[in-house]
Amino acid sequence: MAEPTAGTPEPISRLIEAFHRLPGIGPKSAQRLAYHVLRAPEQEAEALANALRDVKQRIKFCSRCCNITESDPCSYCLDVKRDGSVICVVEQALDILALERAGGFRGRYHVLHGVLNPMDGIGPEHLRLRELLQRLQSGEVQEIIMATNPSLEGEATAMYVSRLVPPGVRVTRLARGLPSGADLEYTDDLTLARALEGRQAIEP
Amino acid sequence: MSDRPRVYKTEGLVLRRRNLGEADSIFTVFSDREGKFDAIARGVRKARSRMRGHLEPLTRSHLMLARGRTLDVFTQAETINAYRNIREDLERTALALYCAELVDRFTIEHAENPGLYDLLLSVLDALEAGAPPHIVRYFEMQLLSLTGYQLQLDVCASCEARLPEAEALLAPSAGGLVCANCRAASGGGRILNVRAIKVLRFARGAEIEAFASLRVDDDLAHMLRGALSDVLHHIAEAEVRSDRYVDEVARLSRVQTTEAPPTVQ
């Protein structure tokens, strides 16, 4: 913790301490940020305070897909043009933005808010799995796309979920292969092996 | 400054990863010559990183590192074995992670233990080749020996009396089996039957292939797992985190084989 220097007024030392709790902020940075806020115009400081309050008060989890949203259900769940028979399962809400940017997916989402990481004590009970299984009960969903990261933890999570899903629902996994701009020379064997297996014909 | 070379090579198995900042990660590696150490891989979370796939947890890789002020920095990495069969199987991933966590818990940084390194690789190779889950008991017994905690299974761990050919209490705080007289003062433990005791004794000296081919039924497997788990918790003075995950995954596969046969599409 940042040691309050003797003589620092209490509100400032409190602000320094609050900044210091943020990830990646050391004691010096915390002091700099605090004094920046102190010198900044009142509206700027107020805007920061309001933004902080709003993010905690107005943002909640979508009761269907667990995405972070201002209105429940979230916009993806309300969008009638989306295909409710396919659910794309992602690790975190930010992944939805990435998939939307890529375009091409018109189904619905489900956010797990994490991946299995047994060595750090993150087990199935820490993920939004129950909510996912509930969504499968209606029978509307026919396919689940596991879009967790292609890491050890992401793969384990995908396999774990595939075991829980009731029969009749198809579970698919995002393809694995080479990212654009990759160098074959430096690509790991597993990725290369899977890229070979997933090769596709070039349409003339 | 030390006179150690600025850049060095080693081979090792990646035990775990922690993310650092925007695109870096810190990896814990257990290596043949340097023991366990943490090192930073810069930019490894970017899609174009050249080391990305070579530093996944549970990957055995050739590594090149540069000495850093606090942590060393990976400069090159190339996979030796990615253990694909383990990675593509939920149970085996869980078991391998459990072994990796035990190595992490039972070693200190920069203390080489080539025996333990070979043991870890041999168990991963066995799991990769399809060895049964009880191979992990072999790993645990050997790990205890290699880290200085070998269990006393031949005579009573308290009074050194000869043990009769009968069930006995495995007492973690005594460091082995205790005779009936010492049982009350041993601080508790689990009763092992004769067969379980024999399996544990066998695990100390046997070759891994011989141990893998042992027939272990569910009850025996359960007894051995519980007993060794108690010992390991006692020594590590903490819960082995992936322990519960192993149980959870095992439970899941039992449910599936007995209750709901998944329909193949």
Side-chain angles (χ1 to χ4, degrees):
Chain A
M1 277 287 109
E3 283 297 317
T5 323
T8 312
E10 191 267 345
I12 300 182
S13 56
R14 221 171 61 198
L15 186 60
I16 293 176
E17 195 163 318
F19 278 128
H20 187 54
R21 284 207 195 111
L22 298 175
I25 305 287
K28 280 290 168 205
S29 312
Q31 280 173 18
R32 260 200 306 277
L33 288 171
Y35 279 95
H36 172 83
V37 172
L38 189 66
R39 279 194 302 267
E42 183 134 5
Q43 306 95 297
E44 203 177 299
E46 209 130 285
L48 176 66
N50 288 337
L52 286 173
R53 202 183 40 244
D54 287 354
V55 79
K56 290 310 283 183
Q57 283 179 355
R58 304 217 329 240
I59 297 295
K60 46 194 169 236
F61 295 114
C62 171
S63 58
R64 292 187 200 166
C65 71
C66 304
N67 187 14
I68 45 177
T69 173
E70 204 175 343
S71 61
D72 182 20
C74 75
S75 56
Y76 300 113
C77 289
L78 281 180
D79 188 345
V80 286
K81 280 184 276 177
R82 286 188 167 265
D83 179 2
S85 69
V86 188
I87 293 181
C88 183
V89 180
V90 295
E91 287 178 23
Q92 46 167 355
L94 279 174
D95 297 338
I96 295 185
L97 300 183
L99 285 160
E100 283 296 304
R101 229 177 20 243
F105 180 66
R106 295 298 298 161
R108 299 200 193 279
Y109 291 101
H110 189 86
V111 187
L112 292 176
H113 291 282
V115 268
L116 295 175
N117 192 341
M119 280 171 88
D120 287 338
I122 314 279
E125 68 279 12
H126 295 99
L127 308 182
R128 302 289 182 121
L129 287 173
R130 208 176 330 124
E131 291 85 345
L132 176 64
L133 295 179
Q134 258 164 16
R135 292 176 76 185
L136 303 182
Q137 278 171 356
S138 70
E140 188 197 356
V141 181
Q142 280 159 23
E143 180 179 354
I144 286 189
I145 303 172
M146 291 307 300
T148 48
N149 287 336
S151 60
L152 180 78
E153 298 85 354
E155 297 287 354
T157 309
M159 286 187 284
Y160 190 87
V161 170
S162 72
R163 296 282 187 92
L164 297 177
V165 166
V169 179
R170 202 159 87 99
V171 184
T172 55
R173 181 88 177 100
L174 288 189
R176 280 190 67 171
L178 301 165
S180 55
D183 254 314
L184 282 201
E185 187 190 349
Y186 293 104
T187 305
D188 66 283
D189 314 2
L190 195 55
T191 303
L192 214 45
R194 285 178 173 158
L196 263 175
E197 288 164 12
R199 69 185 185 278
Q200 294 187 349
I202 301 175
E203 301 299 338
Chain B
M1 284 305 286
S2 73
D3 53 0
R4 294 184 304 176
R6 249 180 49 76
V7 178
Y8 63 97
K9 284 186 225 170
T10 187
E11 73 150 79
L13 190 102
V14 182
L15 297 179
R16 58 192 300 182
R17 163 187 43 216
R18 272 168 296 152
N19 289 341
L20 179 76
E22 191 85 352
D24 305 343
S25 293
I26 297 178
F27 291 92
T28 304
V29 174
F30 187 55
S31 70
D32 56 349
R33 269 171 282 167
E34 308 281 325
K36 179 179 77 171
F37 62 87
D38 282 356
I40 299 185
R42 300 239 179 256
V44 75
R45 279 148 68 204
K46 294 181 187 156
R48 284 202 60 184
S49 163
R50 291 170 165 181
M51 288 189 282
R52 217 160 117 98
H54 302 281
L55 288 173
E56 272 294 296
L58 298 183
T59 303
R60 181 185 172 195
S61 290
H62 287 298
L63 303 167
M64 196 149 149
L65 297 105
R67 303 263 177 218
R69 239 177 308 171
T70 45
L71 288 177
D72 296 348
V73 179
F74 292 101
T75 58
Q76 285 178 37
E78 189 175 40
T79 307
I80 301 172
N81 194 344
Y83 298 106
R84 181 170 184 173
N85 297 337
I86 293 180
R87 222 167 272 279
E88 292 178 351
D89 183 285
L90 190 60
E91 285 82 24
R92 284 191 262 172
T93 302
L95 295 172
L97 278 174
Y98 172 74
C99 293
E101 185 181 351
L102 283 182
V103 167
D104 192 20
R105 294 276 173 130
F106 278 75
T107 51
I108 51 168
E109 293 205 358
H110 297 291
E112 64 173 326
N113 191 337
L116 185 56
Y117 183 70
D118 290 343
L119 171 68
L120 181 60
L121 292 187
S122 65
V123 168
L124 291 178
D125 287 342
L127 284 171
E128 175 76 3
H134 72 252
I135 199 73
V136 176
R137 305 290 87 77
Y138 177 85
F139 175 79
E140 291 168 333
M141 286 299 288
Q142 295 279 329
L143 170 99
L144 288 170
S145 301
L146 287 164
T147 51
Y149 297 103
Q150 183 164 38
L151 292 177
Q152 174 57 273
L153 301 173
D154 303 308
V155 294
C156 170
S158 286
C159 68
E160 298 188 10
R162 221 177 63 80
L163 290 167
E165 184 85 349
E167 62 171 35
L169 184 85
L170 182 68
S173 52
L177 296 173
V178 292
C179 67
N181 295 332
C182 299
R183 207 175 269 187
S186 67
R190 281 182 202 235
I191 303 280
L192 295 185
N193 62 26
V194 177
R195 171 103 174 106
I197 292 170
K198 281 189 173 157
V199 172
L200 290 188
R201 284 181 184 150
F202 186 61
R204 290 181 309 186
E207 293 293 322
I208 188 164
E209 296 82 10
F211 193 84
S213 62
L214 277 186
R215 276 221 238 150
V216 176
D217 63 38
D218 285 354
D219 287 343
L220 181 60
H222 187 252
M223 181 181 277
L224 292 168
R225 169 153 166 68
L228 283 173
S229 172
D230 287 353
V231 172
L232 293 161
H233 282 198
H234 178 79
I235 297 169
E237 291 178 345
E239 191 192 4
V240 182
R241 282 171 167 165
S242 46
D243 209 7
R244 263 182 53 211
Y245 179 66
V246 171
D247 280 341
E248 178 68 30
V249 167
R251 192 188 58 81
L252 195 65
S253 9
R254 265 202 308 279
V255 168
Q256 292 208 319
T257 45
T258 54
E259 282 172 21
T263 48
V264 184
Q265 298 202 342

